[in-house]
Amino acid sequence: MSDNKGTLEIRNLSKSFIVDNNPLQILNNISLSVSSGAFVTIVGSSGCGKTTLLRIMLGLENHYTGEALIDGKQIIGPGTDRGIVFQDHRLLPWLTVGENVAFGLDKLKQKEKKFLVDEHLKLVGLNGFESAYPYQLSGGMAQRVAIARALANKPEILLLDEPLGALDALTRMYMQQELERLWLLEKITMIMVTHDIDEAIYLSDKVVIMSSRPGVIKKIIDVQLSRPRDRASSDFMRIKAEILQEFHLGTEYPFAYAI
Amino acid sequence: MAKKFLQRLGLKDKLLAIIVPLLVLTAWQGAVSQKLCSELILTPPLTLLKTLLELAQSGDLTLNILASLKRVMIGFLFGGTSGFVVGILMALSPFLNRIFGPLIKALQQVPEFAWMPLIIMFLGIDEFAKYFFVAIGAFYPMVLNTYQGVSGVPEKYHELARVFEYKSFRYLFKVIIPSALPSIITGIRLSLGLSWMFVVGAELFGSDSGVGYLMTWGRSVFQIDLVMAGLILVGVIGFAMNFLLERAEKQFFLWREPVEGRHA
Amino acid sequence: MKKLHISKKTKRILGAIAVPIVFIAFWQLFILAGSPSARFLPSPYKVLQKFVILFSEPTYSHNIAVSLQRVMIGFFIGTLAGFLFGLLMGLSKTAEKIFAPFFHAVRQVPMIGWIPLIIMLFGMNELPRVLIISVAAFYPITLNTFSGVRNVPREYLELASVYGIKGIMLIRKIIIPAALPSITTGISLGLAMSWSVLMVAEIFIQTAFGIGTQIQRGRDRFDIALVLAGIITVGVLGYAMTVLVQKILTAVERGRVISTVK
């Protein structure tokens, strides 16, 4: 997007759930701003509220205090200006790959629909798979279809909720390269939740570190390495050590976490 | 279940599965022709075959089968469709579920055939009463399975529908019903099976056509071969309906992972 | 102001009975309003009165007793036969190959279809009634016993062979306990089928006593209240029996698990 679309602004956002009649604070005073076309990852241990934060951005969670704005407008419910890739690919098993990609394009004419489906399947490298059913795909392929489905709507922001969490290590690294390629190509804002620190450093301009109970933003680290990034470079390692420090995982054995 | 069983058998077993019934049939035929058992009590298989052929030649067979099938189809369409609609409404609206849920559960406790005398009192035993009775049989399994299917649609699909802004009918027809379809199809199968049973019951009660009528008529003229021929027809037609539905289901569910293939 | 506190359980019970009460109230109103289609329909109050009369007559309790006895005998025979037959087919592949095609073929005939034949063979007496009830229980119990026995985990059988457990001991100690959940499912289904077919038996094979007979008699006399009272009786008794057997089966299963653990 050439103009300044796809910006996100979160101001003093707090949210709590009611558990057994007691309020349980999930997010506490979160403030975050994401500029147009940036790649931002949110990392943190499980239970830090990072997924809840993403769901607020998506519009699936309401009832919070503070503000969440997309391009200056308050988020009210889901909308096609935001795409989502869930951890489970969430393809509908009764639709073919092509029909799944077209799921959000229902209002378009048949011709336009077909064009967009073809374009986006090609984009994720799955042209020729239109008539396959989800059960015939591998985990990585299914997740590519889910990405194509999200991008087919031409969102300004793509939200990714641990999209590669269920994949094996090698497929995962390959998919990280693919995500980077798509991001460079589409030039849209991407916000990803992950618990993989390498993944976060490899992909993002900004790494948002959250800690739990209640979820707060501990630190935001700018990653200013040139792309494509070398996972073994010393700069990469330095940033990784800096992040691990935040999780009190010490500097003595910085590699222990990577194994 | 029966088909799966046959698929599992090897060639030798298939022969065995054919030979054993053949032996039984031969023994049966032999027993009657050797006067070990009266022909009036147990019709031998060959006579039975002859009876069926005669029925087919005279046109009585087609006429009565068509009469029964017509009743099944009409009753099933009414009962099944209303069960489908009520099931969906109950699953989607907690309010309607509160109203219909306990009522249906209470009515379900009553064996269906207990309603028959009541229906006859109100409606007589004409065609309409038969449709109504079949419809009752078709209604219950359809309500229950549709309700279960629709209320069991995973939350993740509801979320997906919200994200892609699917609403009202589009939401119902593109997400909810496809997701509930396996359960709905089970409902259709059970529903059709019960419809068939009920049509035979209604015809036994009083009718001048149909497979059930064939049997009561056979009984009244004390022709046991007619009764047994009717019995075979009832079984074969019930089996055929189930079989066709299963075939249709396979065509319908191309998207499902073939389970049998995975285990083989 | 002090808030009226209603526990969740009370709320649930109130919610469950509210709808039937409203339904009955509407029914009564419908009749009081003198709707023309209500000419034949008795009011709930009349049905209640009918129940009061029925309870004072010995015939009613006798009808119930006869029906219960009938169902129990049929169900017991069907359960026993189904259990043994299912066990046999589950244990022996040969037995399965010989009997299964027959069993599945015969099973295709709906219960109601047998009525004219068994009346011709046995006449209108108690034997065909009990027979058809037991056949109704026989199918689901056979099927579930069979699949339960066939699906005993291989690990248990290997364990048994390691310890040299064979024959009757293997069946008693390993196979039946492992297949028990499936067998109890079959028994519950069988009971429901028996109860349902009881009505078929009593309505189609005329008899002097039974709840089905009572319903039929109501029809003959055009006494709709009597028919409705019969229908309600069948529903309530069927429900009570289902719950009772469910409780017993759960207790049996639990007892079995505990004694095995000990």
Side-chain angles (χ1 to χ4, degrees):
Chain A
M1 303 273 148
S2 49
D3 43 359
N4 274 351
K5 279 198 164 174
T7 63
L8 173 86
E9 189 72 39
I10 286 178
R11 288 189 207 122
N12 309 322
L13 187 145
S14 298
K15 176 170 179 69
S16 42
F17 288 121
I18 304 290
V19 179
D20 295 330
N21 295 325
N22 296 313
L24 179 71
Q25 186 141 38
I26 301 293
L27 294 170
N28 185 22
N29 203 22
I30 302 279
S31 292
L32 176 67
S33 80
V34 176
S35 57
S36 174
F39 201 124
V40 173
T41 36
I42 304 168
V43 296
S45 52
S46 38
C48 71
K50 55 190 194 296
T51 291
T52 308
L53 186 58
L54 199 78
R55 287 169 64 87
I56 288 174
M57 297 175 193
L58 185 58
L60 283 181
E61 298 280 350
N62 304 309
H63 309 296
Y64 50 82
T65 60
E67 281 181 302
L69 312 165
I70 301 264
D71 297 334
K73 270 181 265 156
Q74 185 74 30
I75 296 171
I76 33 164
T80 41
D81 54 342
R82 283 148 289 154
I84 173 77
V85 179
F86 295 101
Q87 179 174 8
D88 57 320
H89 54 70
R90 226 169 268 207
L91 300 178
L92 296 174
W94 54 86
L95 299 181
T96 62
V97 165
E99 290 164 345
N100 264 297
V101 175
F103 189 69
L105 308 171
D106 224 41
K107 284 162 191 154
L108 298 183
K109 285 200 193 81
Q110 209 57 33
K111 227 175 170 180
E112 295 172 76
K113 221 193 258 188
K114 189 170 164 15
F115 176 78
L116 282 172
V117 169
D118 286 349
E119 183 193 349
H120 286 91
L121 278 178
K122 202 177 275 171
L123 189 70
V124 296
L126 281 176
N127 36 332
F129 282 88
E130 291 92 321
S131 48
Y133 281 101
Y135 79 87
Q136 296 168 308
L137 305 177
S138 71
M141 284 159 92
Q143 208 52 289
R144 283 157 186 262
V145 178
I147 293 169
R149 174 176 66 187
L151 290 177
N153 271 50
K154 304 270 178 204
E156 294 158 19
I157 301 180
L158 183 64
L159 302 167
L160 303 121
D161 186 5
E162 299 191 37
L164 312 180
L167 305 179
D168 65 84
L170 286 175
T171 313
R172 193 171 177 146
M173 280 200 250
Y174 179 60
M175 286 295 287
Q176 286 163 7
Q177 288 176 18
E178 285 288 288
L179 268 181
E180 184 178 40
R181 180 177 68 82
L182 291 172
W183 174 66
L184 292 169
L185 214 63
E186 298 278 302
K187 299 189 171 58
I188 57 172
T189 314
M190 291 197 183
I191 301 172
M192 176 162 81
V193 157
T194 181
H195 53 246
D196 182 331
I197 291 166
D198 282 45
E199 184 169 291
I201 304 168
Y202 183 79
L203 284 169
S204 358
D205 301 326
K206 244 186 209 179
V207 179
V208 178
I209 301 167
M210 288 184 67
S211 76
S212 49
R213 260 167 250 126
V216 291
I217 293 182
K218 255 187 141 180
K219 197 169 184 181
I220 297 178
I221 293 177
D222 286 312
V223 184
Q224 284 160 332
L225 305 176
S226 61
R227 291 171 192 271
R229 288 168 180 168
D230 178 3
R231 296 169 208 263
S233 73
S234 57
D235 284 335
F236 198 99
M237 289 301 164
R238 180 179 47 75
I239 294 170
K240 187 171 175 178
E242 193 182 336
I243 294 172
L244 287 176
Q245 191 91 51
E246 293 299 324
F247 290 108
H248 306 291
L249 284 167
T251 41
E252 292 136 281
Y253 308 105
F255 298 101
Y257 192 77
I259 298 168
Chain B
M1 182 110 194
K3 234 176 70 218
K4 245 189 247 161
F5 168 79
L6 283 177
Q7 275 167 358
R8 239 183 21 238
L9 298 176
L11 182 67
K12 205 179 109 198
D13 298 333
K14 267 184 192 142
L15 278 176
L16 192 71
I18 294 167
I19 287 170
V20 173
L22 272 179
L23 277 177
V24 175
L25 287 178
T26 318
W28 175 3
Q29 181 79 37
V32 180
S33 60
Q34 295 300 309
K35 308 276 180 225
L36 291 173
C37 170
S38 164
E39 200 165 317
L40 286 176
I41 291 177
L42 220 57
T43 313
L46 288 176
T47 317
L48 213 51
L49 203 65
K50 219 180 98 209
T51 309
L52 277 169
L53 283 176
E54 278 170 12
L55 279 173
Q57 262 167 2
S58 69
D60 282 345
L61 189 75
T62 344
L63 212 71
N64 286 309
I65 289 179
L66 285 180
S68 292
L69 284 181
K70 185 185 164 205
R71 288 176 190 135
V72 160
M73 283 309 144
I74 292 176
F76 168 71
L77 271 178
F78 271 105
T81 313
S82 38
F84 177 70
V85 172
V86 173
I88 285 185
L89 290 177
M90 270 168 60
L92 294 183
S93 149
F95 174 71
L96 289 176
N97 190 21
R98 280 245 199 91
I99 293 183
F100 286 116
L103 209 61
I104 285 179
K105 219 178 158 192
L107 293 180
Q108 215 200 342
Q109 302 304 325
V110 180
E112 292 86 349
F113 276 94
W115 296 112
M116 206 160 180
L118 192 70
I119 292 170
I120 293 173
M121 284 170 89
F122 277 91
L123 300 174
I125 185 72
D126 59 358
E127 274 314 281
F128 182 74
K130 291 193 185 78
Y131 299 150
F132 191 79
F133 189 58
V134 173
I136 286 186
F139 180 76
Y140 285 115
M142 211 52 204
V143 165
L144 289 179
N145 282 282
T146 307
Y147 174 75
Q148 260 166 26
V150 173
S151 50
V153 174
E155 181 53 35
K156 56 181 189 175
Y157 295 156
H158 289 305
E159 258 179 33
L160 197 70
R162 274 178 72 195
V163 169
F164 283 94
E165 301 185 306
Y166 272 58
K167 276 175 201 118
S168 67
F169 282 105
R170 217 155 61 99
Y171 183 22
L172 183 67
F173 287 111
K174 292 206 74 175
V175 180
I176 292 177
I177 292 179
S179 175
L181 209 55
S183 181
I184 293 172
I185 299 273
T186 306
I188 291 179
R189 252 180 42 206
L190 290 172
S191 175
L192 199 60
L194 275 183
S195 299
W196 182 238
M197 175 156 169
F198 278 40
V199 91
V200 176
E203 288 170 354
L204 288 180
F205 229 94
S207 175
D208 53 6
S209 64
V211 181
Y213 161 72
L214 214 57
M215 287 195 281
T216 28
W217 180 49
R219 209 186 102 204
S220 62
V221 297
F222 216 80
Q223 253 188 287
I224 203 157
D225 56 329
L226 271 181
V227 177
M228 290 184 77
L231 188 69
I232 289 172
L233 283 179
V234 169
V236 168
I237 293 171
F239 177 78
M241 286 197 308
N242 196 32
F243 178 77
L244 287 177
L245 216 56
E246 242 172 67
R247 283 292 286 273
E249 194 182 339
K250 269 209 186 116
Q251 287 298 308
F252 223 62
F253 285 133
L254 286 175
W255 55 268
R256 254 191 192 168
E257 193 165 359
V259 178
E260 276 147 310
R262 209 170 33 179
H263 286 295
Chain C
M1 201 171 79
K2 207 177 163 193
K3 236 173 146 185
L4 187 65
H5 187 77
I6 305 170
S7 80
K8 268 191 182 152
K9 200 177 167 190
T10 329
K11 262 188 197 163
R12 222 176 41 227
I13 293 169
L14 281 175
I17 57 171
V19 172
I21 287 175
V22 170
F23 176 73
I24 289 170
F26 263 101
W27 177 5
Q28 184 77 50
L29 274 176
F30 181 65
I31 292 184
L32 286 179
S35 159
S37 52
R39 233 173 337 146
F40 300 124
L41 197 69
S43 66
Y45 181 67
K46 264 203 184 138
V47 177
L48 192 69
Q49 273 181 323
K50 183 59 82 181
F51 265 113
V52 173
I53 297 171
L54 283 174
F55 274 115
S56 65
E57 284 175 353
T59 346
Y60 181 59
S61 51
H62 187 60
N63 278 335
I64 290 177
V66 168
S67 282
L68 283 178
Q69 192 194 356
R70 197 169 272 152
V71 125
M72 277 304 144
I73 296 173
F75 171 65
F76 180 74
I77 296 171
T79 303
L80 194 65
F83 171 71
L84 291 176
F85 189 51
L87 190 65
L88 176 71
M89 286 208 298
L91 291 175
S92 152
K93 287 241 159 80
T94 320
E96 185 198 344
K97 281 171 201 157
I98 292 173
F99 294 120
F102 240 34
F103 175 75
H104 288 306
V106 171
R107 205 164 60 89
Q108 300 306 322
V109 182
M111 297 307 302
I112 187 90
W114 294 105
I115 292 278
L117 186 69
I118 60 168
I119 292 178
M120 277 190 94
L121 292 179
F122 302 107
M124 294 245 187
N125 52 49
E126 194 62 21
L127 180 66
R129 280 189 285 269
V130 170
L131 188 71
I132 200 165
I133 291 168
S134 60
V135 172
F138 177 76
Y139 291 147
I141 293 167
T142 303
L143 279 175
N144 281 281
T145 307
F146 170 75
S147 69
V149 170
R150 263 306 144 79
N151 294 325
V152 173
R154 188 188 292 272
E155 294 81 5
Y156 296 171
L157 298 177
E158 281 173 359
L159 189 75
S161 79
V162 168
Y163 285 96
I165 298 172
K166 284 193 281 245
I168 298 289
M169 279 300 273
L170 180 69
I171 294 173
R172 271 186 48 200
K173 293 275 167 189
I174 307 285
I175 291 174
I176 291 179
L180 204 61
S182 179
I183 296 171
T184 52
T185 304
I187 291 176
S188 308
L189 282 172
L191 183 72
M193 288 301 290
S194 291
W195 190 247
S196 176
V197 166
L198 169 77
M199 282 303 111
V200 176
E202 291 183 343
I203 290 173
F204 284 90
I205 311 174
Q206 286 148 29
T207 166
F209 294 104
I211 309 166
T213 315
Q214 184 200 310
I215 295 174
Q216 272 289 67
R217 196 157 295 148
R219 188 193 138 209
D220 293 340
R221 295 184 198 151
F222 214 83
D223 184 348
I224 296 180
L226 187 62
V227 174
L228 284 175
I231 288 174
I232 293 168
T233 309
V234 175
V236 170
L237 281 179
Y239 181 70
M241 238 166 49
T242 314
V243 171
L244 187 71
V245 169
Q246 205 72 53
K247 285 236 160 87
I248 294 173
L249 289 177
T250 315
V252 168
E253 243 177 277
R254 203 167 289 155
R256 180 65 82 158
V257 171
I258 289 167
S259 68
T260 319
V261 170
K262 274 177 191 166

